[in-house]
Coordinates of all heavy atoms in Angstrom, one line a residue:
M1 N 1.5 37.0 -12.3 CA 1.0 35.7 -12.6 C 1.4 34.6 -11.6 O 2.6 34.6 -11.2 CB 1.5 35.4 -14.0 CG 1.1 34.0 -14.5 SD 1.9 33.7 -16.1 CE 0.4 33.1 -16.9
T2 N 0.5 33.9 -11.1 CA 0.9 32.9 -10.2 C 0.9 31.5 -10.8 O 0.1 31.3 -11.8 CB -0.2 32.8 -9.0 OG1 -1.5 32.5 -9.6 CG2 -0.2 34.1 -8.3
T3 N 1.7 30.7 -10.3 CA 1.8 29.3 -10.9 C 1.4 28.4 -9.8 O 1.6 28.5 -8.6 CB 3.2 29.0 -11.3 OG1 4.1 29.1 -10.2 CG2 3.7 29.9 -12.4
T4 N 0.7 27.3 -10.2 CA 0.3 26.3 -9.3 C 1.4 25.2 -9.2 O 2.0 24.9 -10.2 CB -1.1 25.7 -9.7 OG1 -0.9 25.1 -11.1 CG2 -2.2 26.6 -9.8
P5 N 1.6 24.8 -8.0 CA 2.6 23.7 -7.8 C 2.2 22.4 -8.5 O 1.1 22.1 -8.6 CB 2.8 23.6 -6.4 CG 1.5 24.1 -5.8 CD 1.0 25.1 -6.7
T6 N 3.2 21.7 -9.0 CA 2.9 20.4 -9.7 C 2.5 19.4 -8.6 O 3.0 19.5 -7.5 CB 4.2 19.9 -10.4 OG1 5.2 19.8 -9.5 CG2 4.5 20.8 -11.6
P7 N 1.6 18.6 -8.9 CA 1.2 17.6 -7.9 C 2.3 16.6 -7.5 O 3.2 16.3 -8.3 CB 0.1 16.8 -8.6 CG 0.2 17.1 -10.1 CD 0.9 18.4 -10.2
T8 N 2.3 16.2 -6.3 CA 3.3 15.3 -5.8 C 3.1 13.9 -6.5 O 2.0 13.4 -6.7 CB 3.1 15.1 -4.3 OG1 3.1 16.4 -3.6 CG2 4.2 14.2 -3.7
A9 N 4.2 13.4 -6.9 CA 4.1 12.0 -7.5 C 4.1 11.0 -6.4 O 5.0 10.9 -5.6 CB 5.3 11.8 -8.4
Y10 N 3.0 10.2 -6.4 CA 2.9 9.1 -5.3 C 3.4 7.9 -5.9 O 2.7 7.0 -6.5 CB 1.4 9.0 -4.9 CG 0.9 10.3 -4.3 CD1 0.0 11.1 -4.9 CD2 1.4 10.7 -3.1 CE1 -0.5 12.2 -4.3 CE2 1.0 11.9 -2.5 CZ 0.0 12.7 -3.1 OH -0.4 13.8 -2.5
R11 N 4.7 7.7 -5.8 CA 5.4 6.6 -6.5 C 4.9 5.2 -6.0 O 5.0 4.2 -6.6 CB 6.9 6.7 -6.3 CG 7.4 6.5 -4.9 CD 8.9 6.8 -4.9 NE 9.3 6.9 -3.5 CZ 9.9 6.0 -2.8 NH1 10.1 4.9 -3.3 NH2 10.3 6.2 -1.6
W12 N 4.4 5.1 -4.7 CA 3.9 3.8 -4.2 C 2.6 3.5 -4.7 O 2.1 2.3 -4.7 CB 4.0 3.8 -2.7 CG 5.4 3.9 -2.1 CD1 6.5 3.6 -2.7 CD2 5.7 4.3 -0.8 NE1 7.6 3.8 -2.0 CE2 7.1 4.3 -0.7 CE3 5.0 4.8 0.3 CZ2 7.8 4.6 0.4 CZ3 5.7 5.2 1.4 CH2 7.1 5.1 1.4
R13 N 1.9 4.4 -5.3 CA 0.5 4.2 -5.9 C 0.6 3.7 -7.3 O -0.2 3.1 -7.8 CB -0.2 5.5 -5.8 CG -1.6 5.4 -6.2 CD -2.2 6.8 -6.0 NE -3.6 6.8 -6.4 CZ -4.3 7.9 -6.7 NH1 -3.7 9.1 -6.6 NH2 -5.5 7.8 -7.0
Q14 N 1.7 4.0 -8.0 CA 1.9 3.8 -9.4 C 1.8 2.3 -9.8 O 1.2 2.0 -10.8 CB 3.2 4.4 -10.0 CG 3.2 5.9 -10.0 CD 2.0 6.5 -10.8 OE1 1.7 6.0 -11.9 NE2 1.3 7.4 -10.2
P15 N 2.4 1.4 -9.0 CA 2.3 -0.1 -9.5 C 0.8 -0.5 -9.5 O 0.5 -1.3 -10.4 CB 3.1 -0.8 -8.4 CG 4.0 0.2 -7.8 CD 3.3 1.5 -7.9
R16 N 0.0 0.0 -8.6 CA -1.4 -0.4 -8.7 C -2.1 0.2 -9.9 O -2.8 -0.4 -10.6 CB -2.1 0.0 -7.4 CG -3.6 -0.3 -7.4 CD -4.3 0.1 -6.1 NE -4.2 1.5 -5.8 CZ -5.0 2.5 -6.3 NH1 -5.9 2.2 -7.2 NH2 -4.9 3.7 -5.9
L17 N -1.8 1.5 -10.1 CA -2.5 2.2 -11.2 C -2.1 1.7 -12.5 O -2.9 1.6 -13.5 CB -2.2 3.7 -11.1 CG -2.7 4.4 -9.9 CD1 -2.3 5.9 -9.8 CD2 -4.2 4.3 -9.9
V18 N -0.7 1.3 -12.7 CA -0.3 0.8 -13.9 C -1.0 -0.5 -14.3 O -1.3 -0.8 -15.5 CB 1.3 0.5 -13.8 CG1 1.7 -0.4 -15.0 CG2 2.0 1.8 -13.8
R19 N -1.4 -1.3 -13.3 CA -2.2 -2.5 -13.5 C -3.6 -2.3 -13.7 O -4.4 -3.2 -14.0 CB -1.9 -3.5 -12.3 CG -0.5 -4.1 -12.3 CD -0.2 -4.7 -11.0 NE 1.1 -5.3 -11.0 CZ 2.3 -4.7 -10.8 NH1 2.3 -3.4 -10.7 NH2 3.4 -5.4 -10.8
G20 N -4.0 -1.1 -13.5 CA -5.5 -0.7 -13.7 C -6.3 -1.2 -12.5 O -7.6 -1.4 -12.7
W21 N -5.8 -1.4 -11.3 CA -6.5 -1.9 -10.2 C -7.1 -0.8 -9.4 O -6.4 0.2 -9.1 CB -5.6 -2.8 -9.3 CG -5.1 -4.0 -9.9 CD1 -5.5 -4.6 -11.0 CD2 -4.0 -4.8 -9.4 NE1 -4.7 -5.7 -11.3 CE2 -3.8 -5.9 -10.3 CE3 -3.2 -4.7 -8.3 CZ2 -2.8 -6.8 -10.1 CZ3 -2.2 -5.6 -8.1 CH2 -2.1 -6.7 -9.0
E22 N -8.3 -1.0 -8.9 CA -8.9 -0.2 -7.8 C -8.3 -0.6 -6.5 O -7.8 -1.8 -6.4 CB -10.4 -0.2 -7.9 CG -11.0 0.4 -9.1 CD -10.8 1.9 -9.2 OE1 -10.8 2.6 -8.2 OE2 -10.6 2.3 -10.4
P23 N -8.4 0.2 -5.5 CA -7.9 -0.3 -4.2 C -8.5 -1.6 -3.7 O -7.9 -2.5 -3.1 CB -8.2 0.9 -3.2 CG -8.2 2.1 -4.1 CD -8.7 1.6 -5.4
V24 N -9.8 -1.7 -4.0 CA -10.5 -3.0 -3.6 C -10.0 -4.2 -4.3 O -10.0 -5.3 -3.7 CB -12.0 -2.8 -3.6 CG1 -12.6 -1.9 -2.7 CG2 -12.5 -2.5 -5.1
Q25 N -9.5 -4.0 -5.5 CA -9.0 -5.2 -6.3 C -7.6 -5.6 -5.7 O -7.3 -6.7 -5.6 CB -8.8 -4.8 -7.7 CG -10.1 -4.6 -8.5 CD -9.9 -4.0 -9.8 OE1 -9.4 -2.9 -10.0 NE2 -10.3 -4.9 -10.8
L26 N -6.8 -4.6 -5.2 CA -5.6 -4.9 -4.6 C -5.8 -5.6 -3.3 O -5.2 -6.6 -2.9 CB -4.7 -3.6 -4.3 CG -3.5 -3.7 -3.6 CD1 -2.5 -4.7 -4.3 CD2 -2.9 -2.4 -3.4
I27 N -6.8 -5.1 -2.5 CA -7.2 -5.7 -1.2 C -7.7 -7.1 -1.5 O -7.4 -8.0 -0.7 CB -8.2 -4.8 -0.5 CG1 -7.5 -3.6 0.0 CG2 -8.8 -5.6 0.7 CD1 -8.5 -2.5 0.5
G28 N -8.4 -7.4 -2.5 CA -8.9 -8.8 -2.8 C -7.7 -9.7 -3.0 O -7.7 -10.8 -2.5
R29 N -6.7 -9.2 -3.7 CA -5.5 -10.0 -3.9 C -4.7 -10.2 -2.6 O -4.2 -11.3 -2.4 CB -4.5 -9.3 -5.0 CG -5.1 -9.5 -6.4 CD -4.4 -8.6 -7.4 NE -4.8 -8.8 -8.7 CZ -5.9 -8.4 -9.3 NH1 -6.8 -7.6 -8.6 NH2 -6.2 -8.6 -10.5
L30 N -4.7 -9.2 -1.8 CA -4.1 -9.3 -0.5 C -4.8 -10.5 0.4 O -4.2 -11.3 1.0 CB -4.1 -8.1 0.3 CG -3.1 -7.0 -0.1 CD1 -3.5 -5.6 0.7 CD2 -1.7 -7.4 0.2
K31 N -6.1 -10.4 0.3 CA -7.0 -11.4 1.1 C -6.7 -12.8 0.5 O -6.7 -13.7 1.3 CB -8.4 -11.0 1.0 CG -8.7 -9.8 1.9 CD -10.2 -9.6 1.9 CE -10.5 -8.5 2.9 NZ -11.9 -8.4 3.3
I32 N -6.6 -13.0 -0.8 CA -6.4 -14.3 -1.3 C -5.1 -14.8 -0.8 O -5.0 -16.0 -0.4 CB -6.4 -14.2 -2.9 CG1 -7.9 -14.0 -3.3 CG2 -5.9 -15.5 -3.5 CD1 -8.0 -13.7 -4.8
L33 N -4.0 -14.0 -0.9 CA -2.6 -14.5 -0.5 C -2.7 -14.8 1.0 O -2.1 -15.8 1.5 CB -1.6 -13.5 -0.8 CG -1.0 -13.5 -2.2 CD1 0.0 -12.4 -2.4 CD2 -0.5 -14.8 -2.6
A34 N -3.3 -13.9 1.8 CA -3.4 -14.1 3.3 C -4.1 -15.4 3.6 O -3.7 -16.1 4.5 CB -4.0 -12.9 3.9
A35 N -5.2 -15.7 2.9 CA -5.9 -16.9 3.2 C -5.0 -18.1 2.9 O -5.0 -19.1 3.7 CB -7.2 -17.0 2.4
R36 N -4.3 -18.1 1.8 CA -3.4 -19.2 1.5 C -2.3 -19.4 2.5 O -1.9 -20.5 2.8 CB -2.7 -18.9 0.2 CG -3.6 -19.1 -1.1 CD -2.8 -18.8 -2.3 NE -3.7 -18.7 -3.4 CZ -3.4 -18.2 -4.6 NH1 -2.2 -17.8 -4.8 NH2 -4.3 -18.1 -5.6
D37 N -1.8 -18.3 3.1 CA -0.7 -18.4 4.1 C -1.2 -18.5 5.5 O -0.3 -18.6 6.4 CB 0.2 -17.1 3.9 CG 0.9 -17.1 2.6 OD1 0.8 -18.1 1.8 OD2 1.5 -16.0 2.3
G38 N -2.5 -18.3 5.7 CA -3.0 -18.4 7.1 C -2.7 -17.1 7.9 O -2.6 -17.1 9.1
V39 N -2.6 -16.0 7.2 CA -2.3 -14.7 7.8 C -3.6 -14.0 8.1 O -4.5 -13.9 7.1 CB -1.4 -13.8 6.9 CG1 -1.2 -12.4 7.4 CG2 0.0 -14.5 6.6
E40 N -3.8 -13.4 9.2 CA -5.0 -12.7 9.5 C -4.7 -11.2 9.2 O -3.8 -10.6 9.7 CB -5.3 -12.8 11.0 CG -6.6 -12.3 11.3 CD -7.0 -12.5 12.8 OE1 -6.6 -13.5 13.3 OE2 -7.8 -11.7 13.3
L41 N -5.6 -10.7 8.4 CA -5.5 -9.2 8.0 C -6.5 -8.4 8.8 O -7.5 -9.0 9.2 CB -5.8 -9.1 6.5 CG -4.7 -9.7 5.5 CD1 -5.2 -9.5 4.0 CD2 -3.4 -9.0 5.7
P42 N -6.3 -7.1 8.8 CA -7.3 -6.2 9.4 C -8.6 -6.3 8.6 O -8.6 -6.8 7.5 CB -6.7 -4.8 9.4 CG -5.2 -5.1 9.1 CD -5.1 -6.4 8.4
K43 N -9.6 -5.7 9.2 CA -10.9 -5.6 8.4 C -10.7 -4.7 7.1 O -9.7 -4.0 7.0 CB -11.9 -4.8 9.3 CG -12.2 -5.5 10.6 CD -13.2 -6.6 10.3 CE -13.6 -7.3 11.7 NZ -14.2 -8.5 11.5
T44 N -11.6 -4.9 6.2 CA -11.4 -4.3 4.9 C -11.4 -2.8 5.0 O -10.5 -2.2 4.3 CB -12.6 -4.7 4.0 OG1 -12.6 -6.1 3.8 CG2 -12.5 -4.1 2.6
Y45 N -12.2 -2.2 5.8 CA -12.2 -0.7 6.0 C -10.8 -0.2 6.5 O -10.3 0.8 6.1 CB -13.3 -0.2 6.8 CG -13.2 -0.5 8.3 CD1 -12.5 0.3 9.2 CD2 -13.7 -1.7 8.9 CE1 -12.4 0.1 10.5 CE2 -13.6 -2.0 10.2 CZ -12.9 -1.1 11.0 OH -12.8 -1.4 12.3
Q46 N -10.2 -1.0 7.3 CA -8.9 -0.7 7.8 C -7.8 -0.8 6.8 O -6.9 0.0 6.6 CB -8.5 -1.5 9.1 CG -7.2 -1.1 9.7 CD -7.2 0.3 10.3 OE1 -8.2 0.6 11.0 NE2 -6.2 1.0 10.2
L47 N -7.9 -1.9 5.9 CA -7.0 -2.0 4.8 C -7.1 -0.9 3.8 O -6.1 -0.4 3.4 CB -7.2 -3.4 4.1 CG -6.7 -4.6 4.8 CD1 -7.2 -5.9 4.1 CD2 -5.2 -4.6 4.9
I48 N -8.3 -0.5 3.5 CA -8.5 0.6 2.6 C -7.8 1.9 3.2 O -7.1 2.6 2.4 CB -10.0 0.9 2.4 CG1 -10.6 -0.3 1.6 CG2 -10.2 2.2 1.7 CD1 -12.1 -0.2 1.5
R49 N -8.0 2.1 4.5 CA -7.4 3.2 5.1 C -5.8 3.2 5.1 O -5.1 4.1 4.7 CB -7.9 3.4 6.5 CG -7.3 4.6 7.3 CD -7.7 4.6 8.7 NE -7.2 5.6 9.5 CZ -5.9 5.5 10.0 NH1 -5.2 4.4 9.9 NH2 -5.5 6.6 10.7
D50 N -5.3 2.0 5.5 CA -3.9 1.8 5.5 C -3.2 2.0 4.1 O -2.2 2.6 4.0 CB -3.5 0.4 6.0 CG -3.8 0.3 7.5 OD1 -3.9 1.3 8.2 OD2 -3.9 -0.9 8.0
I51 N -3.9 1.4 3.1 CA -3.3 1.5 1.7 C -3.4 2.9 1.2 O -2.4 3.5 0.7 CB -4.0 0.5 0.8 CG1 -3.5 -0.9 1.1 CG2 -3.7 0.8 -0.6 CD1 -4.2 -2.0 0.4
Y52 N -4.5 3.6 1.5 CA -4.6 5.0 1.1 C -3.4 5.8 1.8 O -2.8 6.6 1.0 CB -6.0 5.6 1.5 CG -6.1 7.1 1.3 CD1 -6.5 7.5 0.0 CD2 -5.7 8.0 2.3 CE1 -6.5 8.9 -0.2 CE2 -5.8 9.4 2.0 CZ -6.2 9.8 0.8 OH -6.2 11.2 0.5
L53 N -3.3 5.7 3.1 CA -2.3 6.5 3.7 C -0.9 6.1 3.2 O 0.0 7.0 3.1 CB -2.4 6.3 5.3 CG -3.6 6.8 5.9 CD1 -3.7 6.4 7.4 CD2 -3.7 8.3 5.8
W54 N -0.6 4.9 3.0 CA 0.7 4.4 2.5 C 0.9 5.0 1.1 O 2.0 5.5 0.8 CB 0.7 2.9 2.5 CG 2.0 2.3 2.0 CD1 3.3 2.4 2.6 CD2 2.2 1.7 0.7 NE1 4.2 1.8 1.8 CE2 3.6 1.3 0.7 CE3 1.4 1.3 -0.3 CZ2 4.1 0.6 -0.4 CZ3 1.9 0.6 -1.4 CH2 3.3 0.4 -1.4
E55 N -0.1 4.8 0.2 CA 0.1 5.3 -1.1 C 0.4 6.8 -1.2 O 1.0 7.3 -2.1 CB -1.1 5.0 -2.0 CG -1.2 3.6 -2.4 CD -2.3 3.3 -3.3 OE1 -3.3 4.1 -3.4 OE2 -2.3 2.2 -3.9
H56 N -0.2 7.6 -0.2 CA 0.0 9.0 -0.2 C 1.2 9.4 0.8 O 1.2 10.6 1.2 CB -1.3 9.6 0.2 CG -2.3 9.5 -0.9 ND1 -3.1 8.4 -1.0 CD2 -2.6 10.3 -1.9 CE1 -3.9 8.6 -2.1 NE2 -3.6 9.7 -2.7
H57 N 2.0 8.5 1.1 CA 3.2 8.7 1.9 C 2.9 9.4 3.3 O 3.7 10.2 3.8 CB 4.2 9.6 1.2 CG 4.6 9.1 -0.2 ND1 5.7 8.3 -0.4 CD2 3.9 9.2 -1.4 CE1 5.8 8.0 -1.6 NE2 4.7 8.4 -2.3
R58 N 1.8 8.9 3.9 CA 1.4 9.5 5.2 C 1.6 8.4 6.3 O 1.7 8.9 7.5 CB 0.0 9.9 5.2 CG -0.3 11.0 4.2 CD -1.7 11.5 4.4 NE -2.1 12.5 3.4 CZ -3.3 12.9 3.1 NH1 -4.3 12.4 3.7 NH2 -3.4 13.8 2.2
A59 N 1.8 7.2 6.0 CA 1.9 6.2 7.0 C 2.6 4.9 6.4 O 2.5 4.7 5.2 CB 0.6 5.8 7.7
D60 N 3.2 4.1 7.2 CA 3.8 2.9 6.7 C 2.7 1.7 6.8 O 1.7 1.9 7.6 CB 5.0 2.5 7.5 CG 6.2 3.4 7.3 OD1 6.2 4.1 6.2 OD2 7.0 3.6 8.1
L61 N 3.0 0.7 6.2 CA 2.0 -0.5 6.2 C 2.4 -1.4 7.4 O 3.5 -1.5 7.8 CB 2.1 -1.3 4.9 CG 1.6 -0.7 3.7 CD1 1.9 -1.5 2.5 CD2 0.1 -0.6 3.8
P62 N 1.3 -2.1 7.9 CA 1.6 -3.1 8.9 C 2.5 -4.2 8.2 O 2.4 -4.5 7.0 CB 0.2 -3.7 9.2 CG -0.7 -2.7 8.8 CD -0.1 -1.9 7.6
A63 N 3.3 -4.9 9.0 CA 4.3 -5.8 8.5 C 3.7 -6.9 7.6 O 4.1 -7.2 6.5 CB 5.1 -6.4 9.6
P64 N 2.6 -7.5 8.1 CA 2.0 -8.6 7.2 C 1.5 -8.1 5.9 O 1.6 -8.7 4.8 CB 0.8 -9.1 8.1 CG 0.9 -8.6 9.4 CD 1.8 -7.4 9.3
V65 N 0.9 -6.9 5.9 CA 0.4 -6.3 4.6 C 1.5 -6.0 3.7 O 1.5 -6.2 2.5 CB -0.5 -5.1 4.9 CG1 -0.9 -4.4 3.6 CG2 -1.7 -5.4 5.8
A66 N 2.6 -5.4 4.3 CA 3.8 -5.0 3.5 C 4.4 -6.3 2.9 O 4.8 -6.3 1.7 CB 4.8 -4.4 4.3
S67 N 4.4 -7.4 3.6 CA 5.0 -8.6 3.1 C 4.2 -9.2 1.9 O 4.7 -9.6 0.9 CB 5.1 -9.6 4.2 OG 5.5 -10.9 3.7
L68 N 2.9 -9.2 2.1 CA 1.9 -9.7 1.0 C 2.0 -8.8 -0.2 O 2.0 -9.2 -1.3 CB 0.5 -9.8 1.5 CG 0.3 -10.8 2.6 CD1 -1.1 -10.6 3.2 CD2 0.5 -12.2 2.1
L69 N 2.1 -7.4 0.0 CA 2.2 -6.5 -1.0 C 3.5 -6.7 -1.9 O 3.5 -6.7 -3.1 CB 2.1 -5.1 -0.5 CG 1.9 -4.0 -1.5 CD1 0.6 -4.1 -2.2 CD2 2.1 -2.6 -0.9
G70 N 4.6 -7.0 -1.2 CA 5.8 -7.3 -1.9 C 5.7 -8.5 -2.8 O 6.2 -8.6 -3.9
R71 N 4.9 -9.5 -2.4 CA 4.6 -10.7 -3.3 C 3.7 -10.4 -4.4 O 3.8 -10.9 -5.5 CB 4.1 -11.8 -2.4 CG 5.1 -12.4 -1.4 CD 4.6 -13.4 -0.5 NE 3.8 -14.5 -1.1 CZ 2.9 -15.2 -0.5 NH1 2.7 -15.0 0.8 NH2 2.2 -16.1 -1.2
I72 N 2.7 -9.5 -4.2 CA 1.8 -9.2 -5.3 C 2.5 -8.5 -6.4 O 2.3 -8.7 -7.6 CB 0.6 -8.3 -4.7 CG1 -0.3 -9.2 -3.9 CG2 -0.1 -7.6 -5.8 CD1 -1.4 -8.4 -3.1
F73 N 3.4 -7.5 -6.0 CA 4.2 -6.8 -7.0 C 5.6 -7.5 -7.2 O 6.6 -6.8 -7.4 CB 4.4 -5.3 -6.5 CG 3.1 -4.6 -6.5 CD1 2.7 -4.0 -5.3 CD2 2.3 -4.5 -7.6 CE1 1.5 -3.2 -5.2 CE2 1.1 -3.8 -7.5 CZ 0.7 -3.1 -6.3
D74 N 5.6 -8.8 -7.3 CA 6.8 -9.6 -7.5 C 7.5 -9.2 -8.8 O 6.8 -8.8 -9.7 CB 6.5 -11.0 -7.5 CG 7.7 -11.9 -7.3 OD1 8.8 -11.4 -7.0 OD2 7.6 -13.1 -7.5
G75 N 8.7 -9.3 -8.8 CA 9.5 -8.9 -10.0 C 10.3 -7.7 -9.7 O 10.7 -7.5 -8.5
P76 N 10.5 -6.8 -10.6 CA 11.3 -5.6 -10.3 C 10.5 -4.8 -9.3 O 9.3 -4.6 -9.3 CB 11.3 -4.9 -11.7 CG 11.0 -5.9 -12.7 CD 10.1 -7.0 -12.1
N77 N 11.3 -4.4 -8.3 CA 10.7 -3.6 -7.2 C 10.1 -2.2 -7.8 O 10.8 -1.4 -8.3 CB 11.8 -3.3 -6.2 CG 11.3 -2.5 -5.0 OD1 10.2 -2.1 -5.0 ND2 12.1 -2.5 -4.0
P78 N 8.8 -2.1 -7.6 CA 8.2 -0.8 -8.2 C 8.5 0.4 -7.3 O 8.2 1.5 -7.6 CB 6.8 -1.2 -8.1 CG 6.6 -2.1 -7.0 CD 7.9 -3.0 -7.0
F79 N 9.2 0.1 -6.1 CA 9.5 1.2 -5.2 C 10.9 1.7 -5.2 O 11.3 2.6 -4.6 CB 9.1 0.8 -3.8 CG 7.7 0.1 -3.8 CD1 7.6 -1.2 -3.6 CD2 6.6 0.8 -3.9 CE1 6.4 -1.9 -3.6 CE2 5.3 0.3 -4.0 CZ 5.2 -1.1 -3.8
A80 N 11.7 0.9 -5.9 CA 13.2 1.3 -5.9 C 13.8 0.5 -7.1 O 13.1 0.3 -8.1 CB 13.9 1.0 -4.7
T81 N 15.0 0.0 -7.0 CA 15.6 -0.8 -8.0 C 15.8 -2.2 -7.4 O 16.1 -2.3 -6.2 CB 16.9 -0.2 -8.4 OG1 17.7 -0.1 -7.3 CG2 16.7 1.1 -9.1
G82 N 15.8 -3.2 -8.2 CA 16.0 -4.6 -7.8 C 14.8 -5.2 -7.3 O 13.7 -4.6 -7.3
P83 N 14.8 -6.4 -6.8 CA 13.6 -7.1 -6.3 C 13.2 -6.5 -5.0 O 13.9 -5.9 -4.3 CB 14.1 -8.6 -6.2 CG 15.6 -8.5 -6.0 CD 16.0 -7.3 -6.8
V84 N 11.9 -6.8 -4.7 CA 11.3 -6.3 -3.5 C 12.1 -7.0 -2.3 O 12.0 -8.2 -2.2 CB 9.8 -6.5 -3.4 CG1 9.3 -6.1 -2.1 CG2 9.1 -5.8 -4.5
Q85 N 12.7 -6.2 -1.5 CA 13.4 -6.7 -0.3 C 12.7 -6.4 0.9 O 12.5 -7.1 1.9 CB 14.8 -6.2 -0.2 CG 15.7 -6.6 -1.4 CD 16.2 -8.0 -1.3 OE1 16.3 -8.6 -0.2 NE2 16.4 -8.6 -2.4
H86 N 12.2 -5.1 1.0 CA 11.7 -4.6 2.2 C 10.7 -3.5 1.9 O 10.9 -2.6 1.0 CB 12.8 -4.0 3.1 CG 12.2 -3.2 4.2 ND1 11.6 -3.7 5.3 CD2 12.2 -1.8 4.4 CE1 11.2 -2.7 6.2 NE2 11.6 -1.6 5.6
L87 N 9.5 -3.5 2.5 CA 8.6 -2.4 2.4 C 8.4 -1.8 3.8 O 8.6 -2.5 4.8 CB 7.2 -2.9 1.9 CG 7.2 -3.5 0.5 CD1 5.8 -4.0 0.1 CD2 7.6 -2.4 -0.6
P88 N 8.1 -0.5 3.8 CA 8.0 0.1 5.2 C 7.0 -0.5 6.1 O 6.0 -1.0 5.6 CB 7.6 1.6 4.9 CG 7.7 1.7 3.4 CD 7.8 0.4 2.8
M89 N 7.3 -0.5 7.3 CA 6.3 -1.0 8.3 C 5.7 0.1 9.1 O 6.2 1.2 9.2 CB 7.1 -1.9 9.4 CG 8.0 -2.9 8.8 SD 7.2 -4.3 8.1 CE 8.6 -5.2 7.5
K90 N 4.5 -0.1 9.6 CA 3.8 0.9 10.3 C 4.3 1.0 11.7 O 4.4 0.0 12.4 CB 2.3 0.6 10.3 CG 1.5 1.7 11.0 CD 0.0 1.5 10.9 CE -0.4 2.1 9.5 NZ -1.8 1.9 9.2
A91 N 4.5 2.2 12.1 CA 4.9 2.4 13.5 C 3.6 2.3 14.4 O 2.5 2.4 14.0 CB 5.5 3.8 13.7
A92 N 3.9 2.0 15.7 CA 2.7 1.9 16.6 C 1.9 3.2 16.6 O 2.4 4.2 16.6 CB 3.2 1.6 18.0
R93 N 0.6 3.0 16.6 CA -0.3 4.2 16.5 C -0.5 4.6 17.9 O -0.6 3.9 18.9 CB -1.6 3.8 15.9 CG -1.6 3.5 14.5 CD -2.9 3.3 13.9 NE -2.9 2.9 12.5 CZ -3.8 2.2 11.9 NH1 -4.8 1.9 12.5 NH2 -3.6 1.9 10.6
T94 N -0.6 6.0 18.0 CA -0.9 6.5 19.3 C -2.1 7.5 19.0 O -2.0 8.4 18.2 CB 0.3 7.3 20.0 OG1 0.8 8.3 19.0 CG2 1.4 6.3 20.3
R95 N -3.1 7.3 19.8 CA -4.3 8.2 19.6 C -4.2 9.4 20.7 O -3.8 9.2 21.8 CB -5.6 7.5 19.8 CG -5.8 6.5 18.7 CD -7.2 5.9 18.8 NE -7.4 5.3 17.6 CZ -8.6 5.4 16.9 NH1 -9.6 6.1 17.4 NH2 -8.7 4.7 15.8
G96 N -4.6 10.5 20.2 CA -4.7 11.7 21.1 C -3.3 12.3 21.5 O -3.2 13.1 22.4
R97 N -2.3 12.0 20.7 CA -1.0 12.6 21.0 C -0.5 13.5 19.9 O -0.8 13.2 18.8 CB 0.1 11.5 21.2 CG -0.2 10.8 22.5 CD 0.9 9.8 22.7 NE 0.6 9.0 23.9 CZ 1.5 8.2 24.5 NH1 2.6 8.1 24.0 NH2 1.1 7.6 25.5

């Protein structure tokens, strides 16, 4: 008898899912805050990709997105304990390496 492994828990995805938000709803909130602060965000398709990779623990977020995300999930840190202090930043991308 074979057993199937249990699915990986994507803890960074849970705060969005608990609120019942689709990725585009989260991105909409990011865009609203960015416009208020005068922060330029990547194109929507890039944000969708970045958030997907981040939620699935495959890449870190760009610093401006991480900062805005910390404000959206204000209150208890959904990623650890205590208030949101720091979210991972994305390392420089290298293509073809």
Side-chain angles (χ1 to χ4, degrees):
M1 177 180 228
T2 61
T3 59
T4 57
T6 58
T8 304
Y10 298 113
R11 65 185 169 101
W12 293 338
R13 187 177 179 199
Q14 291 305 311
R16 177 179 62 79
L17 295 177
V18 165
R19 289 164 176 81
W21 296 345
E22 293 294 324
V24 292
Q25 292 172 298
L26 177 60
I27 289 168
R29 286 167 173 81
L30 285 170
K31 287 185 174 195
I32 290 168
L33 282 178
R36 287 181 192 163
D37 294 352
V39 174
E40 188 174 333
L41 291 176
K43 300 281 186 193
T44 301
Y45 71 88
Q46 184 66 42
L47 283 171
I48 290 169
R49 180 183 176 278
D50 288 345
I51 288 174
Y52 174 86
L53 292 173
W54 178 71
E55 285 184 345
H56 291 84
H57 303 265
R58 294 183 185 170
D60 293 334
L61 288 172
V65 176
S67 174
L68 294 170
L69 191 64
R71 289 176 48 205
I72 288 172
F73 295 125
D74 197 9
N77 183 348
F79 313 106
T81 57
V84 175
Q85 298 285 333
H86 166 75
L87 296 176
M89 312 285 177
K90 180 174 277 180
R93 290 185 184 158
T94 55
R95 290 188 169 227
R97 291 185 184 187

